[in-house]
Amino acid sequence: MTAVPDTQAPLAFIYDRCASRDACSRRELDMRLLGCHAYADREGWVLAGGPWLDHGADALSTHRPQLSMLVGAMQAEAGRRAVLCLVHDWGRLATDTTHRLRLQQRIVEAGGWTATAFGESDEHTVRAVLMGRQQ
């Protein structure tokens, strides 16, 4: 991972998943996305377009086409500025902890970190691991 100057605001890539396409889950999805937008605004982060949303079977499987697209876009920007994947809560990546950690690892490998709209982040853990590798 290349060191990125801290002069630019981080670029936030919003991700979510929704297994159901009914109106109730759409309202819930809209509320989660609104929460992510509001949190990014409070933090002073720039939104990277999106959001990236996996629906139906893709939302439940280990294969996440939209998350893969997000990771690719994030990787393309990582050398220019700090990048992160913003989710409403950790469950939006995966409810299974092992699966969630694998997805977070993909984000780290792309040069970013993951944060929730509730102020949780793996940024400091990622930096500590990277600092340990550089020594």
Side-chain angles (χ1 to χ4, degrees):
M1 183 171 166
T2 307
V4 178
D6 290 332
T7 57
Q8 288 185 327
L11 189 58
F13 294 77
I14 296 176
Y15 176 77
D16 207 316
R17 62 192 183 96
C18 189
S20 174
R21 292 185 184 262
D22 67 10
C24 176
S25 63
R26 183 62 204 187
R27 282 191 301 275
E28 292 168 6
L29 174 63
D30 289 343
M31 288 175 62
R32 291 192 304 264
L33 295 175
L34 182 62
C36 287
H37 283 258
Y39 186 76
D41 188 52
R42 283 193 305 273
E43 292 296 313
W45 296 338
V46 176
L47 294 177
W52 286 261
L53 305 171
D54 279 310
H55 292 281
D58 290 336
L60 299 174
S61 73
T62 57
H63 174 69
R64 303 274 179 85
Q66 289 296 305
L67 184 64
S68 293
M69 290 175 65
L70 178 150
V71 167
M74 178 183 282
Q75 189 169 19
E77 292 293 329
R80 293 187 271 274
R81 68 192 314 167
V83 294
L84 69 125
C85 175
L86 178 59
V87 292
H88 185 258
D89 58 49
W90 293 125
R92 302 326 309 151
L93 282 176
T95 54
D96 175 77
T97 302
T98 302
H99 187 202
R100 178 178 54 83
L101 291 172
R102 285 187 189 135
L103 295 174
Q104 284 177 262
Q105 182 63 36
R106 288 180 60 195
I107 292 162
V108 168
E109 290 168 357
W113 77 90
T114 308
T116 73
F118 294 96
E120 301 162 302
S121 170
D122 62 9
E123 177 184 15
H124 297 294
T125 305
V126 168
R127 285 189 179 173
V129 168
L130 291 175
M131 293 284 287
R133 286 184 190 164
Q134 293 173 357
Q135 293 176 350

Short mmCIF file of all heavy atoms in Angstrom, two decimals, residues 78-117:
data_model
loop_
_atom_site.label_atom_id
_atom_site.label_comp_id
_atom_site.label_asym_id
_atom_site.label_seq_id
_atom_site.Cartn_x
_atom_site.Cartn_y
_atom_site.Cartn_z
N ALA A 78 -6.86 4.39 -4.88
CA ALA A 78 -6.09 4.28 -3.64
C ALA A 78 -4.72 4.95 -3.69
O ALA A 78 -4.25 5.45 -2.68
CB ALA A 78 -5.93 2.81 -3.25
N GLY A 79 -4.09 5.02 -4.84
CA GLY A 79 -2.80 5.68 -4.92
C GLY A 79 -2.87 7.19 -4.90
O GLY A 79 -1.87 7.87 -4.66
N ARG A 80 -4.07 7.73 -5.12
CA ARG A 80 -4.24 9.18 -5.18
C ARG A 80 -4.74 9.80 -3.88
O ARG A 80 -4.49 10.96 -3.60
CB ARG A 80 -5.21 9.54 -6.30
CG ARG A 80 -4.67 9.22 -7.69
CD ARG A 80 -5.59 9.75 -8.75
NE ARG A 80 -6.62 8.81 -9.15
CZ ARG A 80 -6.44 7.87 -10.08
NH1 ARG A 80 -5.27 7.72 -10.65
NH2 ARG A 80 -7.42 7.07 -10.42
N ARG A 81 -5.50 9.03 -3.13
CA ARG A 81 -6.09 9.55 -1.89
C ARG A 81 -6.52 8.38 -1.01
O ARG A 81 -6.59 7.25 -1.46
CB ARG A 81 -7.27 10.46 -2.19
CG ARG A 81 -8.45 9.71 -2.77
CD ARG A 81 -9.55 10.54 -3.35
NE ARG A 81 -9.95 11.65 -2.55
CZ ARG A 81 -10.71 12.63 -2.99
NH1 ARG A 81 -11.14 12.62 -4.24
NH2 ARG A 81 -11.07 13.63 -2.22
N ALA A 82 -6.85 8.68 0.23
CA ALA A 82 -7.37 7.66 1.14
C ALA A 82 -8.74 7.21 0.66
O ALA A 82 -9.56 8.03 0.22
CB ALA A 82 -7.46 8.22 2.55
N VAL A 83 -8.99 5.91 0.72
CA VAL A 83 -10.26 5.34 0.27
C VAL A 83 -10.82 4.42 1.35
O VAL A 83 -10.07 3.80 2.10
CB VAL A 83 -10.11 4.56 -1.06
CG1 VAL A 83 -9.75 5.49 -2.20
CG2 VAL A 83 -9.09 3.45 -0.94
N LEU A 84 -12.14 4.35 1.40
CA LEU A 84 -12.78 3.47 2.36
C LEU A 84 -14.10 2.96 1.82
O LEU A 84 -14.72 3.58 0.96
CB LEU A 84 -13.02 4.20 3.69
CG LEU A 84 -14.07 5.32 3.66
CD1 LEU A 84 -15.12 5.07 4.73
CD2 LEU A 84 -13.39 6.66 3.85
N CYS A 85 -14.50 1.82 2.33
CA CYS A 85 -15.81 1.25 2.04
C CYS A 85 -16.70 1.57 3.25
O CYS A 85 -16.38 1.18 4.37
CB CYS A 85 -15.70 -0.26 1.84
SG CYS A 85 -17.30 -1.07 1.61
N LEU A 86 -17.78 2.29 3.02
CA LEU A 86 -18.70 2.67 4.08
C LEU A 86 -19.95 1.81 4.01
O LEU A 86 -20.59 1.73 2.96
CB LEU A 86 -19.06 4.16 3.95
CG LEU A 86 -20.04 4.74 4.95
CD1 LEU A 86 -19.54 4.59 6.39
CD2 LEU A 86 -20.34 6.20 4.62
N VAL A 87 -20.27 1.17 5.13
CA VAL A 87 -21.47 0.35 5.25
C VAL A 87 -22.28 0.85 6.45
O VAL A 87 -21.73 1.47 7.36
CB VAL A 87 -21.13 -1.15 5.43
CG1 VAL A 87 -20.51 -1.72 4.17
CG2 VAL A 87 -20.24 -1.39 6.64
N HIS A 88 -23.57 0.59 6.42
CA HIS A 88 -24.41 1.02 7.53
C HIS A 88 -23.95 0.37 8.83
O HIS A 88 -23.75 1.04 9.84
CB HIS A 88 -25.88 0.69 7.23
CG HIS A 88 -26.81 1.19 8.27
ND1 HIS A 88 -27.36 0.39 9.23
CD2 HIS A 88 -27.30 2.44 8.50
CE1 HIS A 88 -28.13 1.10 10.02
NE2 HIS A 88 -28.12 2.35 9.59
N ASP A 89 -23.80 -0.94 8.82
CA ASP A 89 -23.27 -1.68 9.96
C ASP A 89 -22.52 -2.89 9.42
O ASP A 89 -22.57 -3.18 8.23
CB ASP A 89 -24.38 -2.07 10.94
CG ASP A 89 -25.47 -2.92 10.30
OD1 ASP A 89 -25.15 -3.91 9.61
OD2 ASP A 89 -26.65 -2.59 10.49
N TRP A 90 -21.78 -3.59 10.29
CA TRP A 90 -20.95 -4.71 9.84
C TRP A 90 -21.77 -5.79 9.14
O TRP A 90 -21.28 -6.45 8.22
CB TRP A 90 -20.17 -5.31 11.00
CG TRP A 90 -19.13 -4.41 11.58
CD1 TRP A 90 -19.03 -4.04 12.89
CD2 TRP A 90 -18.04 -3.77 10.90
NE1 TRP A 90 -17.95 -3.19 13.04
CE2 TRP A 90 -17.33 -3.01 11.85
CE3 TRP A 90 -17.61 -3.75 9.58
CZ2 TRP A 90 -16.21 -2.25 11.52
CZ3 TRP A 90 -16.49 -2.98 9.25
CH2 TRP A 90 -15.80 -2.26 10.20
N GLY A 91 -23.01 -5.98 9.52
CA GLY A 91 -23.87 -6.99 8.90
C GLY A 91 -24.16 -6.72 7.44
O GLY A 91 -24.57 -7.61 6.71
N ARG A 92 -23.96 -5.49 6.98
CA ARG A 92 -24.20 -5.20 5.58
C ARG A 92 -23.13 -5.82 4.69
O ARG A 92 -23.36 -6.04 3.51
CB ARG A 92 -24.24 -3.68 5.31
CG ARG A 92 -25.29 -2.91 6.09
CD ARG A 92 -26.60 -3.61 6.38
NE ARG A 92 -27.23 -4.22 5.22
CZ ARG A 92 -28.03 -5.30 5.28
NH1 ARG A 92 -28.27 -5.91 6.41
NH2 ARG A 92 -28.56 -5.76 4.19
N LEU A 93 -21.96 -6.12 5.25
CA LEU A 93 -20.97 -6.90 4.49
C LEU A 93 -21.35 -8.37 4.55
O LEU A 93 -21.47 -9.01 3.52
CB LEU A 93 -19.56 -6.71 5.07
CG LEU A 93 -18.86 -5.42 4.70
CD1 LEU A 93 -17.52 -5.33 5.41
CD2 LEU A 93 -18.65 -5.31 3.19
N ALA A 94 -21.52 -8.89 5.75
CA ALA A 94 -21.92 -10.29 5.94
C ALA A 94 -22.29 -10.49 7.40
O ALA A 94 -21.68 -9.88 8.28
CB ALA A 94 -20.80 -11.24 5.53
N THR A 95 -23.25 -11.36 7.64
CA THR A 95 -23.62 -11.65 9.03
C THR A 95 -22.66 -12.67 9.64
O THR A 95 -22.48 -12.69 10.84
CB THR A 95 -25.07 -12.18 9.12
OG1 THR A 95 -25.22 -13.28 8.24
CG2 THR A 95 -26.06 -11.09 8.76
N ASP A 96 -22.04 -13.48 8.81
CA ASP A 96 -21.05 -14.44 9.27
C ASP A 96 -19.71 -13.73 9.46
O ASP A 96 -19.19 -13.11 8.52
CB ASP A 96 -20.92 -15.58 8.24
CG ASP A 96 -19.82 -16.55 8.60
OD1 ASP A 96 -20.05 -17.38 9.50
OD2 ASP A 96 -18.73 -16.45 7.99
N THR A 97 -19.15 -13.80 10.66
CA THR A 97 -17.92 -13.06 10.96
C THR A 97 -16.77 -13.45 10.06
O THR A 97 -16.03 -12.58 9.57
CB THR A 97 -17.53 -13.27 12.44
OG1 THR A 97 -18.62 -12.85 13.26
CG2 THR A 97 -16.29 -12.48 12.80
N THR A 98 -16.58 -14.73 9.81
CA THR A 98 -15.48 -15.18 8.96
C THR A 98 -15.62 -14.61 7.55
O THR A 98 -14.65 -14.11 6.97
CB THR A 98 -15.40 -16.71 8.92
OG1 THR A 98 -15.23 -17.19 10.26
CG2 THR A 98 -14.26 -17.19 8.05
N HIS A 99 -16.82 -14.67 7.00
CA HIS A 99 -17.07 -14.13 5.66
C HIS A 99 -16.84 -12.61 5.64
O HIS A 99 -16.22 -12.07 4.72
CB HIS A 99 -18.48 -14.48 5.22
CG HIS A 99 -18.78 -14.11 3.81
ND1 HIS A 99 -20.05 -13.91 3.36
CD2 HIS A 99 -17.99 -13.87 2.74
CE1 HIS A 99 -20.03 -13.56 2.08
NE2 HIS A 99 -18.78 -13.53 1.68
N ARG A 100 -17.33 -11.92 6.67
CA ARG A 100 -17.14 -10.47 6.76
C ARG A 100 -15.66 -10.12 6.80
O ARG A 100 -15.21 -9.21 6.10
CB ARG A 100 -17.84 -9.90 7.99
CG ARG A 100 -17.61 -8.40 8.12
CD ARG A 100 -18.34 -7.79 9.31
NE ARG A 100 -18.07 -8.42 10.58
CZ ARG A 100 -17.02 -8.17 11.35
NH1 ARG A 100 -16.10 -7.31 10.96
NH2 ARG A 100 -16.89 -8.76 12.52
N LEU A 101 -14.89 -10.84 7.57
CA LEU A 101 -13.45 -10.56 7.67
C LEU A 101 -12.74 -10.80 6.34
O LEU A 101 -11.83 -10.06 5.97
CB LEU A 101 -12.82 -11.38 8.79
CG LEU A 101 -13.25 -10.96 10.20
CD1 LEU A 101 -12.72 -11.97 11.23
CD2 LEU A 101 -12.81 -9.55 10.52
N ARG A 102 -13.18 -11.80 5.60
CA ARG A 102 -12.61 -12.03 4.26
C ARG A 102 -12.92 -10.86 3.33
O ARG A 102 -12.06 -10.44 2.55
CB ARG A 102 -13.13 -13.33 3.67
CG ARG A 102 -12.52 -14.55 4.27
CD ARG A 102 -12.95 -15.80 3.54
NE ARG A 102 -12.51 -16.96 4.28
CZ ARG A 102 -13.25 -18.01 4.53
NH1 ARG A 102 -14.49 -18.07 4.07
NH2 ARG A 102 -12.77 -19.02 5.22
N LEU A 103 -14.14 -10.36 3.39
CA LEU A 103 -14.51 -9.22 2.55
C LEU A 103 -13.73 -7.97 2.97
O LEU A 103 -13.26 -7.21 2.12
CB LEU A 103 -16.02 -8.97 2.61
CG LEU A 103 -16.88 -10.08 2.02
CD1 LEU A 103 -18.36 -9.79 2.26
CD2 LEU A 103 -16.60 -10.30 0.56
N GLN A 104 -13.55 -7.77 4.26
CA GLN A 104 -12.75 -6.64 4.74
C GLN A 104 -11.31 -6.78 4.26
O GLN A 104 -10.68 -5.79 3.90
CB GLN A 104 -12.80 -6.55 6.26
CG GLN A 104 -14.10 -5.99 6.78
CD GLN A 104 -14.14 -5.97 8.28
OE1 GLN A 104 -14.69 -6.87 8.90
NE2 GLN A 104 -13.56 -4.94 8.87
N GLN A 105 -10.80 -7.99 4.23
CA GLN A 105 -9.44 -8.22 3.74
C GLN A 105 -9.30 -7.81 2.28
O GLN A 105 -8.31 -7.22 1.89
CB GLN A 105 -9.03 -9.68 3.92
CG GLN A 105 -7.62 -9.99 3.48
CD GLN A 105 -6.58 -9.24 4.30
OE1 GLN A 105 -6.74 -9.04 5.48
NE2 GLN A 105 -5.51 -8.83 3.65
N ARG A 106 -10.32 -8.09 1.47
CA ARG A 106 -10.30 -7.65 0.07
C ARG A 106 -10.20 -6.14 -0.03
O ARG A 106 -9.49 -5.60 -0.89
CB ARG A 106 -11.56 -8.12 -0.67
CG ARG A 106 -11.59 -9.61 -0.93
CD ARG A 106 -12.85 -10.03 -1.65
NE ARG A 106 -12.97 -9.37 -2.95
CZ ARG A 106 -14.09 -9.34 -3.65
NH1 ARG A 106 -15.19 -9.91 -3.20
NH2 ARG A 106 -14.13 -8.71 -4.83
N ILE A 107 -10.90 -5.45 0.85
CA ILE A 107 -10.88 -3.99 0.85
C ILE A 107 -9.50 -3.49 1.26
O ILE A 107 -8.96 -2.56 0.65
CB ILE A 107 -12.01 -3.45 1.76
CG1 ILE A 107 -13.36 -3.79 1.11
CG2 ILE A 107 -11.86 -1.97 2.04
CD1 ILE A 107 -14.55 -3.73 2.01
N VAL A 108 -8.91 -4.13 2.24
CA VAL A 108 -7.55 -3.77 2.67
C VAL A 108 -6.57 -3.99 1.52
O VAL A 108 -5.72 -3.15 1.24
CB VAL A 108 -7.13 -4.59 3.91
CG1 VAL A 108 -5.65 -4.44 4.19
CG2 VAL A 108 -7.95 -4.17 5.12
N GLU A 109 -6.70 -5.12 0.84
CA GLU A 109 -5.80 -5.43 -0.28
C GLU A 109 -5.94 -4.42 -1.41
O GLU A 109 -5.00 -4.20 -2.17
CB GLU A 109 -6.05 -6.84 -0.78
CG GLU A 109 -5.58 -7.89 0.21
CD GLU A 109 -6.05 -9.29 -0.11
OE1 GLU A 109 -6.81 -9.49 -1.09
OE2 GLU A 109 -5.69 -10.21 0.64
N ALA A 110 -7.11 -3.78 -1.52
CA ALA A 110 -7.33 -2.74 -2.54
C ALA A 110 -6.77 -1.39 -2.10
O ALA A 110 -6.79 -0.44 -2.87
CB ALA A 110 -8.82 -2.61 -2.84
N GLY A 111 -6.29 -1.30 -0.87
CA GLY A 111 -5.68 -0.07 -0.39
C GLY A 111 -6.57 0.76 0.52
O GLY A 111 -6.25 1.92 0.80
N GLY A 112 -7.69 0.21 0.97
CA GLY A 112 -8.61 0.98 1.79
C GLY A 112 -8.89 0.38 3.14
O GLY A 112 -8.17 -0.50 3.61
N TRP A 113 -9.92 0.87 3.76
CA TRP A 113 -10.40 0.33 5.01
C TRP A 113 -11.91 0.37 5.00
O TRP A 113 -12.52 0.91 4.08
CB TRP A 113 -9.81 1.09 6.21
CG TRP A 113 -10.41 2.42 6.52
CD1 TRP A 113 -11.47 2.67 7.34
CD2 TRP A 113 -10.00 3.70 6.02
NE1 TRP A 113 -11.73 4.02 7.38
CE2 TRP A 113 -10.85 4.68 6.60
CE3 TRP A 113 -8.99 4.13 5.15
CZ2 TRP A 113 -10.72 6.04 6.32
CZ3 TRP A 113 -8.87 5.47 4.89
CH2 TRP A 113 -9.71 6.42 5.47
N THR A 114 -12.54 -0.20 6.03
CA THR A 114 -13.99 -0.27 6.12
C THR A 114 -14.46 0.50 7.35
O THR A 114 -13.82 0.42 8.41
CB THR A 114 -14.47 -1.74 6.22
OG1 THR A 114 -13.88 -2.48 5.15
CG2 THR A 114 -15.97 -1.83 6.12
N ALA A 115 -15.56 1.22 7.21
CA ALA A 115 -16.15 1.96 8.32
C ALA A 115 -17.66 1.77 8.30
O ALA A 115 -18.24 1.50 7.24
CB ALA A 115 -15.81 3.45 8.22
N THR A 116 -18.28 1.91 9.47
CA THR A 116 -19.74 1.86 9.55
C THR A 116 -20.28 3.26 9.82
O THR A 116 -19.56 4.14 10.29
CB THR A 116 -20.23 0.92 10.68
OG1 THR A 116 -19.99 1.55 11.94
CG2 THR A 116 -19.56 -0.44 10.60
N ALA A 117 -21.56 3.43 9.58
CA ALA A 117 -22.23 4.70 9.83
C ALA A 117 -22.40 4.96 11.32
O ALA A 117 -22.92 6.00 11.71
CB ALA A 117 -23.59 4.73 9.13
#
